PDB file of all heavy atoms in Angstrom:
ATOM      1  N   GLY A  19      -1.157  15.507   7.256  1.00 97.00           N
ATOM      2  CA  GLY A  19      -2.418  16.277   7.577  1.00 97.00           C
ATOM      3  C   GLY A  19      -3.611  15.333   7.593  1.00 97.00           C
ATOM      4  O   GLY A  19      -3.557  14.285   8.333  1.00 97.00           O
ATOM      5  N   ASP A  20      -4.615  15.576   6.787  1.00 97.00           N
ATOM      6  CA  ASP A  20      -5.825  14.696   6.766  1.00 97.00           C
ATOM      7  C   ASP A  20      -5.835  13.734   5.577  1.00 97.00           C
ATOM      8  O   ASP A  20      -6.855  13.238   5.208  1.00 97.00           O
ATOM      9  CB  ASP A  20      -7.156  15.517   6.898  1.00 97.00           C
ATOM     10  CG  ASP A  20      -7.322  16.377   5.640  1.00 97.00           C
ATOM     11  OD1 ASP A  20      -6.437  16.472   4.799  1.00 97.00           O
ATOM     12  OD2 ASP A  20      -8.442  16.935   5.486  1.00 97.00           O
ATOM     13  N   THR A  21      -4.662  13.607   4.932  1.00 98.00           N
ATOM     14  CA  THR A  21      -4.616  12.754   3.672  1.00 98.00           C
ATOM     15  C   THR A  21      -3.520  11.676   3.912  1.00 98.00           C
ATOM     16  O   THR A  21      -2.476  11.914   4.473  1.00 98.00           O
ATOM     17  CB  THR A  21      -4.272  13.591   2.470  1.00 98.00           C
ATOM     18  OG1 THR A  21      -5.217  14.588   2.310  1.00 98.00           O
ATOM     19  CG2 THR A  21      -4.266  12.717   1.234  1.00 98.00           C
ATOM     20  N   ALA A  22      -3.865  10.431   3.453  1.00 98.00           N
ATOM     21  CA  ALA A  22      -2.893   9.370   3.494  1.00 98.00           C
ATOM     22  C   ALA A  22      -2.604   8.842   2.130  1.00 98.00           C
ATOM     23  O   ALA A  22      -3.518   8.578   1.307  1.00 98.00           O
ATOM     24  CB  ALA A  22      -3.420   8.240   4.442  1.00 98.00           C
ATOM     25  N   THR A  23      -1.339   8.677   1.781  1.00 98.00           N
ATOM     26  CA  THR A  23      -0.909   8.004   0.558  1.00 98.00           C
ATOM     27  C   THR A  23      -0.782   6.559   0.924  1.00 98.00           C
ATOM     28  O   THR A  23      -0.111   6.260   1.929  1.00 98.00           O
ATOM     29  CB  THR A  23       0.345   8.657   0.003  1.00 98.00           C
ATOM     30  OG1 THR A  23       0.153  10.027  -0.222  1.00 98.00           O
ATOM     31  CG2 THR A  23       0.749   7.948  -1.329  1.00 98.00           C
ATOM     32  N   VAL A  24      -1.250   5.620   0.075  1.00 98.00           N
ATOM     33  CA  VAL A  24      -1.326   4.199   0.413  1.00 98.00           C
ATOM     34  C   VAL A  24      -0.611   3.418  -0.657  1.00 98.00           C
ATOM     35  O   VAL A  24      -0.710   3.689  -1.864  1.00 98.00           O
ATOM     36  CB  VAL A  24      -2.786   3.752   0.548  1.00 98.00           C
ATOM     37  CG1 VAL A  24      -2.852   2.195   0.751  1.00 98.00           C
ATOM     38  CG2 VAL A  24      -3.439   4.551   1.750  1.00 98.00           C
ATOM     39  N   GLY A  25       0.170   2.387  -0.252  1.00 98.00           N
ATOM     40  CA  GLY A  25       0.733   1.453  -1.218  1.00 98.00           C
ATOM     41  C   GLY A  25       1.066   0.131  -0.490  1.00 98.00           C
ATOM     42  O   GLY A  25       0.590  -0.140   0.566  1.00 98.00           O
ATOM     43  N   ILE A  26       1.893  -0.714  -1.189  1.00 98.00           N
ATOM     44  CA  ILE A  26       2.372  -1.918  -0.553  1.00 98.00           C
ATOM     45  C   ILE A  26       3.872  -1.793  -0.275  1.00 98.00           C
ATOM     46  O   ILE A  26       4.586  -1.084  -0.915  1.00 98.00           O
ATOM     47  CB  ILE A  26       2.101  -3.176  -1.412  1.00 98.00           C
ATOM     48  CG1 ILE A  26       2.865  -3.165  -2.744  1.00 98.00           C
ATOM     49  CG2 ILE A  26       0.535  -3.351  -1.553  1.00 98.00           C
ATOM     50  CD1 ILE A  26       2.853  -4.502  -3.465  1.00 98.00           C
ATOM     51  N   THR A  27       4.347  -2.601   0.669  1.00 97.00           N
ATOM     52  CA  THR A  27       5.783  -2.462   1.016  1.00 97.00           C
ATOM     53  C   THR A  27       6.711  -3.122   0.121  1.00 97.00           C
ATOM     54  O   THR A  27       6.282  -3.950  -0.779  1.00 97.00           O
ATOM     55  CB  THR A  27       5.949  -3.107   2.458  1.00 97.00           C
ATOM     56  OG1 THR A  27       5.719  -4.449   2.257  1.00 97.00           O
ATOM     57  CG2 THR A  27       5.055  -2.457   3.483  1.00 97.00           C
ATOM     58  N   SER A  28       7.988  -2.896   0.175  1.00 95.00           N
ATOM     59  CA  SER A  28       8.975  -3.506  -0.650  1.00 95.00           C
ATOM     60  C   SER A  28       8.993  -4.955  -0.378  1.00 95.00           C
ATOM     61  O   SER A  28       9.166  -5.801  -1.284  1.00 95.00           O
ATOM     62  CB  SER A  28      10.391  -2.859  -0.412  1.00 95.00           C
ATOM     63  OG  SER A  28      10.702  -2.833   1.061  1.00 95.00           O
ATOM     64  N   PHE A  29       8.778  -5.387   0.887  1.00 95.00           N
ATOM     65  CA  PHE A  29       8.640  -6.810   1.200  1.00 95.00           C
ATOM     66  C   PHE A  29       7.588  -7.464   0.419  1.00 95.00           C
ATOM     67  O   PHE A  29       7.762  -8.490  -0.192  1.00 95.00           O
ATOM     68  CB  PHE A  29       8.431  -7.024   2.722  1.00 95.00           C
ATOM     69  CG  PHE A  29       8.212  -8.445   3.038  1.00 95.00           C
ATOM     70  CD1 PHE A  29       9.272  -9.320   3.212  1.00 95.00           C
ATOM     71  CD2 PHE A  29       6.934  -8.977   3.204  1.00 95.00           C
ATOM     72  CE1 PHE A  29       9.134 -10.654   3.551  1.00 95.00           C
ATOM     73  CE2 PHE A  29       6.731 -10.312   3.629  1.00 95.00           C
ATOM     74  CZ  PHE A  29       7.832 -11.184   3.738  1.00 95.00           C
ATOM     75  N   ALA A  30       6.396  -6.847   0.358  1.00 95.00           N
ATOM     76  CA  ALA A  30       5.218  -7.392  -0.330  1.00 95.00           C
ATOM     77  C   ALA A  30       5.478  -7.486  -1.877  1.00 95.00           C
ATOM     78  O   ALA A  30       5.245  -8.617  -2.467  1.00 95.00           O
ATOM     79  CB  ALA A  30       3.990  -6.536  -0.141  1.00 95.00           C
ATOM     80  N   GLN A  31       6.070  -6.490  -2.483  1.00 96.00           N
ATOM     81  CA  GLN A  31       6.346  -6.584  -3.926  1.00 96.00           C
ATOM     82  C   GLN A  31       7.399  -7.583  -4.212  1.00 96.00           C
ATOM     83  O   GLN A  31       7.356  -8.294  -5.225  1.00 96.00           O
ATOM     84  CB  GLN A  31       6.639  -5.232  -4.540  1.00 96.00           C
ATOM     85  CG  GLN A  31       7.831  -4.490  -4.076  1.00 96.00           C
ATOM     86  CD  GLN A  31       9.181  -4.974  -4.807  1.00 96.00           C
ATOM     87  OE1 GLN A  31       9.160  -5.540  -5.904  1.00 96.00           O
ATOM     88  NE2 GLN A  31      10.349  -4.797  -4.192  1.00 96.00           N
ATOM     89  N   GLU A  32       8.407  -7.756  -3.303  1.00 94.00           N
ATOM     90  CA  GLU A  32       9.452  -8.820  -3.468  1.00 94.00           C
ATOM     91  C   GLU A  32       8.857 -10.152  -3.438  1.00 94.00           C
ATOM     92  O   GLU A  32       9.107 -11.122  -4.295  1.00 94.00           O
ATOM     93  CB  GLU A  32      10.478  -8.745  -2.391  1.00 94.00           C
ATOM     94  CG  GLU A  32      11.385  -7.605  -2.504  1.00 94.00           C
ATOM     95  CD  GLU A  32      12.245  -7.383  -1.324  1.00 94.00           C
ATOM     96  OE1 GLU A  32      12.266  -8.250  -0.439  1.00 94.00           O
ATOM     97  OE2 GLU A  32      12.941  -6.292  -1.281  1.00 94.00           O
ATOM     98  N   GLN A  33       7.840 -10.444  -2.568  1.00 94.00           N
ATOM     99  CA  GLN A  33       7.129 -11.729  -2.401  1.00 94.00           C
ATOM    100  C   GLN A  33       6.262 -12.016  -3.664  1.00 94.00           C
ATOM    101  O   GLN A  33       6.219 -13.152  -4.093  1.00 94.00           O
ATOM    102  CB  GLN A  33       6.233 -11.799  -1.200  1.00 94.00           C
ATOM    103  CG  GLN A  33       7.027 -11.653   0.139  1.00 94.00           C
ATOM    104  CD  GLN A  33       8.010 -12.805   0.341  1.00 94.00           C
ATOM    105  OE1 GLN A  33       7.766 -13.908   0.223  1.00 94.00           O
ATOM    106  NE2 GLN A  33       9.301 -12.415   0.441  1.00 94.00           N
ATOM    107  N   LEU A  34       5.652 -10.887  -4.212  1.00 96.00           N
ATOM    108  CA  LEU A  34       4.817 -11.127  -5.428  1.00 96.00           C
ATOM    109  C   LEU A  34       5.607 -11.446  -6.688  1.00 96.00           C
ATOM    110  O   LEU A  34       5.114 -12.050  -7.564  1.00 96.00           O
ATOM    111  CB  LEU A  34       3.960  -9.912  -5.509  1.00 96.00           C
ATOM    112  CG  LEU A  34       2.787  -9.785  -4.524  1.00 96.00           C
ATOM    113  CD1 LEU A  34       2.219  -8.307  -4.651  1.00 96.00           C
ATOM    114  CD2 LEU A  34       1.654 -10.722  -4.926  1.00 96.00           C
ATOM    115  N   GLY A  35       6.766 -10.789  -6.768  1.00 96.00           N
ATOM    116  CA  GLY A  35       7.493 -10.885  -8.004  1.00 96.00           C
ATOM    117  C   GLY A  35       7.047  -9.815  -8.965  1.00 96.00           C
ATOM    118  O   GLY A  35       6.548  -8.800  -8.524  1.00 96.00           O
ATOM    119  N   ASP A  36       7.236 -10.040 -10.268  1.00 97.00           N
ATOM    120  CA  ASP A  36       6.901  -8.978 -11.251  1.00 97.00           C
ATOM    121  C   ASP A  36       5.430  -8.646 -11.270  1.00 97.00           C
ATOM    122  O   ASP A  36       4.593  -9.601 -11.623  1.00 97.00           O
ATOM    123  CB  ASP A  36       7.388  -9.428 -12.629  1.00 97.00           C
ATOM    124  CG  ASP A  36       8.896  -9.494 -12.703  1.00 97.00           C
ATOM    125  OD1 ASP A  36       9.590  -8.800 -11.904  1.00 97.00           O
ATOM    126  OD2 ASP A  36       9.371 -10.284 -13.586  1.00 97.00           O
ATOM    127  N   ILE A  37       5.037  -7.442 -10.904  1.00 98.00           N
ATOM    128  CA  ILE A  37       3.628  -7.015 -10.839  1.00 98.00           C
ATOM    129  C   ILE A  37       3.161  -6.811 -12.344  1.00 98.00           C
ATOM    130  O   ILE A  37       3.839  -6.155 -13.162  1.00 98.00           O
ATOM    131  CB  ILE A  37       3.480  -5.749 -10.114  1.00 98.00           C
ATOM    132  CG1 ILE A  37       4.146  -5.764  -8.642  1.00 98.00           C
ATOM    133  CG2 ILE A  37       1.963  -5.232 -10.087  1.00 98.00           C
ATOM    134  CD1 ILE A  37       3.536  -6.661  -7.765  1.00 98.00           C
ATOM    135  N   THR A  38       2.025  -7.436 -12.702  1.00 97.00           N
ATOM    136  CA  THR A  38       1.462  -7.323 -13.982  1.00 97.00           C
ATOM    137  C   THR A  38       0.181  -6.509 -14.084  1.00 97.00           C
ATOM    138  O   THR A  38      -0.204  -6.041 -15.205  1.00 97.00           O
ATOM    139  CB  THR A  38       1.260  -8.749 -14.554  1.00 97.00           C
ATOM    140  OG1 THR A  38       0.326  -9.448 -13.642  1.00 97.00           O
ATOM    141  CG2 THR A  38       2.495  -9.547 -14.713  1.00 97.00           C
ATOM    142  N   PHE A  39      -0.533  -6.328 -12.932  1.00 97.00           N
ATOM    143  CA  PHE A  39      -1.778  -5.593 -12.951  1.00 97.00           C
ATOM    144  C   PHE A  39      -2.150  -5.137 -11.622  1.00 97.00           C
ATOM    145  O   PHE A  39      -1.913  -5.879 -10.588  1.00 97.00           O
ATOM    146  CB  PHE A  39      -2.867  -6.552 -13.437  1.00 97.00           C
ATOM    147  CG  PHE A  39      -4.233  -5.985 -13.505  1.00 97.00           C
ATOM    148  CD1 PHE A  39      -4.573  -4.941 -14.491  1.00 97.00           C
ATOM    149  CD2 PHE A  39      -5.220  -6.277 -12.575  1.00 97.00           C
ATOM    150  CE1 PHE A  39      -5.846  -4.411 -14.574  1.00 97.00           C
ATOM    151  CE2 PHE A  39      -6.532  -5.701 -12.635  1.00 97.00           C
ATOM    152  CZ  PHE A  39      -6.862  -4.738 -13.628  1.00 97.00           C
ATOM    153  N   VAL A  40      -2.685  -3.974 -11.432  1.00 98.00           N
ATOM    154  CA  VAL A  40      -3.156  -3.415 -10.197  1.00 98.00           C
ATOM    155  C   VAL A  40      -4.586  -2.933 -10.434  1.00 98.00           C
ATOM    156  O   VAL A  40      -4.847  -2.142 -11.321  1.00 98.00           O
ATOM    157  CB  VAL A  40      -2.270  -2.242  -9.607  1.00 98.00           C
ATOM    158  CG1 VAL A  40      -2.758  -1.737  -8.385  1.00 98.00           C
ATOM    159  CG2 VAL A  40      -0.840  -2.700  -9.593  1.00 98.00           C
ATOM    160  N   ASP A  41      -5.529  -3.422  -9.638  1.00 98.00           N
ATOM    161  CA  ASP A  41      -6.965  -2.992  -9.611  1.00 98.00           C
ATOM    162  C   ASP A  41      -7.273  -2.122  -8.449  1.00 98.00           C
ATOM    163  O   ASP A  41      -7.145  -2.542  -7.380  1.00 98.00           O
ATOM    164  CB  ASP A  41      -7.884  -4.239  -9.681  1.00 98.00           C
ATOM    165  CG  ASP A  41      -9.377  -3.921  -9.786  1.00 98.00           C
ATOM    166  OD1 ASP A  41      -9.613  -2.844 -10.453  1.00 98.00           O
ATOM    167  OD2 ASP A  41     -10.161  -4.632  -9.164  1.00 98.00           O
ATOM    168  N   LEU A  42      -7.553  -0.881  -8.733  1.00 98.00           N
ATOM    169  CA  LEU A  42      -7.696   0.124  -7.636  1.00 98.00           C
ATOM    170  C   LEU A  42      -9.098   0.732  -7.752  1.00 98.00           C
ATOM    171  O   LEU A  42      -9.785   0.751  -8.769  1.00 98.00           O
ATOM    172  CB  LEU A  42      -6.665   1.249  -7.817  1.00 98.00           C
ATOM    173  CG  LEU A  42      -5.227   0.823  -7.757  1.00 98.00           C
ATOM    174  CD1 LEU A  42      -4.247   1.890  -8.058  1.00 98.00           C
ATOM    175  CD2 LEU A  42      -4.915   0.208  -6.313  1.00 98.00           C
ATOM    176  N   PRO A  43      -9.598   1.290  -6.609  1.00 98.00           N
ATOM    177  CA  PRO A  43     -10.905   1.894  -6.642  1.00 98.00           C
ATOM    178  C   PRO A  43     -10.907   3.210  -7.405  1.00 98.00           C
ATOM    179  O   PRO A  43      -9.864   3.773  -7.597  1.00 98.00           O
ATOM    180  CB  PRO A  43     -11.252   2.099  -5.122  1.00 98.00           C
ATOM    181  CG  PRO A  43      -9.866   2.207  -4.512  1.00 98.00           C
ATOM    182  CD  PRO A  43      -8.927   1.381  -5.317  1.00 98.00           C
ATOM    183  N   ALA A  44     -12.116   3.671  -7.681  1.00 98.00           N
ATOM    184  CA  ALA A  44     -12.282   4.967  -8.340  1.00 98.00           C
ATOM    185  C   ALA A  44     -12.163   6.070  -7.329  1.00 98.00           C
ATOM    186  O   ALA A  44     -12.518   5.864  -6.106  1.00 98.00           O
ATOM    187  CB  ALA A  44     -13.568   5.015  -9.081  1.00 98.00           C
ATOM    188  N   VAL A  45     -11.868   7.351  -7.831  1.00 98.00           N
ATOM    189  CA  VAL A  45     -11.931   8.507  -6.968  1.00 98.00           C
ATOM    190  C   VAL A  45     -13.328   8.650  -6.487  1.00 98.00           C
ATOM    191  O   VAL A  45     -14.303   8.420  -7.220  1.00 98.00           O
ATOM    192  CB  VAL A  45     -11.503   9.731  -7.726  1.00 98.00           C
ATOM    193  CG1 VAL A  45     -11.759  10.991  -6.981  1.00 98.00           C
ATOM    194  CG2 VAL A  45     -10.017   9.660  -8.079  1.00 98.00           C
TER     195      VAL A  45
END
Side-chain angles (χ1 to χ4, degrees):
D20 67 350
T21 304
T23 303
V24 174
I26 65 167
T27 66
S28 53
F29 175 81
Q31 67 81 21
E32 286 167 10
Q33 296 303 302
L34 285 164
D36 294 335
I37 307 294
T38 56
F39 180 74
V40 182
D41 182 33
L42 299 173
V45 169

